[in-house]
Amino acid sequence: MKIFKNKKNLIKHISQIKNLAFVPTMGTLHRGHISLIKEAKKKSKNILVSIFVNPKQFNSKKDYKKYPRNINKDIKILEKENIKFLYLPDNKDIYSFKPVTPIYLHKFSKELCGKFRPGHFKGVINVVNRFLEIIKPKYLFLGEKDLQQLILIQMHIIKNKIKTIVVPCKTLRSNTGIALSSRNLRLNRKDLKIATKISYFLHNNKKKLIKKLIKNQKKEIIKKIYLLGAKKIDYIEAVSFKKFKIVKRIKNKLNIFIAYYLNDVRLIDNL
Ligand code: PAF
């Protein structure tokens, strides 16, 4: 595996590759990332993974500092997966140039996580836009666990007529049903149990919960999730996949989106 810490060297190596598959990550790789890599392998032999904990998408310095990092283990995992290219930039390499493409932030960025993490999606689109300009991949692999992020990146790509194709990848769950996330590493045993109970409750009652959410009977649901052990709930909403906005009445395809805290660990999911 070739490791690049500098975009100039990276560009020199990859600029002739036509079917480059790009998997952006913030490291601390888990089975969820591996499933993105597996999807990438279906499209191309030339896979580039990036590991960069992007400071601009954290709205709290404490959260940025506490974000788990495990670069040596990550490199071993990627080598085992036969990844050809790893881009490991520092802040300067990413932020010391002015991208040609402007950031496009659809108004959906103000909903859900956007309401509770001001600046977060602007930070995400900023870094992804830079990656796309440096790497110019044919494919971009993104997890559906961060569905709002995926939709906003897709909208940015469409608006700016960027040629990269977004490939959405299914959320991977632990055998107890929790959506895999690097942040899960920061949960203790008790909190993992609570997360399992919450996930179980949401999955088992999905239809009923959606009906209640759109009838504005949210209080009951929130009370139940607190009873299960959540420390704080940022939101729980029924969202239409198609229209990408919070809906007031039943539409055909609705999903539950939730963000809540266990101790100081913020978890999100959609189902
Ligand atoms: O989903 C993530 O890990 C990050 O938001 C991303 C897409 C790598 C941008 O920093």
Side-chain angles (χ1 to χ4, degrees), residues 161-172:
K161 300 190 170 68
I162 299 170
K163 290 204 178 89
T164 302
I165 299 161
V166 173
V167 183
C169 305
K170 293 256 165 297
T171 303
L172 240 77

Side-chain angles (χ1 to χ4, degrees), residues 24-26 52 54 57 67 124 127-128 131 142 146 149 153:
T25 82
M26 299 211 295
F52 177 61
N54 172 32
Q57 71 187 75
Y67 196 83
V124 170
V127 79
V128 171
F131 277 132
L142 296 168
D146 300 304
Q149 161 178 289
I153 292 173

Side-chain angles (χ1 to χ4, degrees), residues 1 29 37 74-83:
M1 182 169 69
L29 304 176
I37 289 172
D74 288 348
I75 290 175
K76 278 189 192 134
I77 293 174
L78 295 175
E79 277 174 340
K80 206 175 145 210
E81 286 297 325
N82 286 321
I83 295 303

Side-chain angles (χ1 to χ4, degrees), residues 22-27 33 36 50-55 57-58 67 95 120 123-125 127-128 131 140-143 145-146 149 153 182:
F22 175 42
V23 182
T25 82
M26 299 211 295
H33 297 110
L36 300 189
S50 66
I51 297 180
F52 177 61
V53 185
N54 172 32
Q57 71 187 75
F58 288 83
Y67 196 83
Y95 287 111
H120 167 66
V124 170
I125 304 289
V127 79
V128 171
F131 277 132
L140 172 66
F141 295 82
L142 296 168
K145 190 193 125 274
D146 300 304
Q149 161 178 289
I153 292 173
S182 306

Side-chain angles (χ1 to χ4, degrees), residues 37-67:
I37 289 172
K38 294 252 181 319
E39 288 303 313
K41 282 180 179 167
K42 290 182 192 164
K43 298 271 188 211
S44 173
K45 280 184 192 143
N46 296 305
I47 300 175
L48 166 70
V49 175
S50 66
I51 297 180
F52 177 61
V53 185
N54 172 32
K56 288 201 194 287
Q57 71 187 75
F58 288 83
N59 49 323
S60 130
K61 273 199 177 142
K62 199 173 140 203
D63 192 27
Y64 172 63
K65 279 198 178 145
K66 283 196 169 179
Y67 196 83

Side-chain angles (χ1 to χ4, degrees), residues 5 10 12 19 21 39 63 65 69 86 97 107 124 129 132 156 174 176 182 188 191 197 202 223 227 242-243 261 271:
K5 294 192 170 169
L10 174 72
K12 234 193 263 166
N19 65 339
E39 288 303 313
D63 192 27
K65 279 198 178 145
R69 291 161 171 88
L86 169 61
F97 72 102
K107 62 178 190 310
V124 170
N129 188 39
L132 295 181
H156 165 78
S174 70
T176 60
S182 306
N188 61 30
D191 287 336
K197 279 187 201 161
L202 297 175
K223 202 172 151 195
L227 273 176
K242 281 192 185 152
K243 301 225 163 182
Y261 284 82
L271 54 134

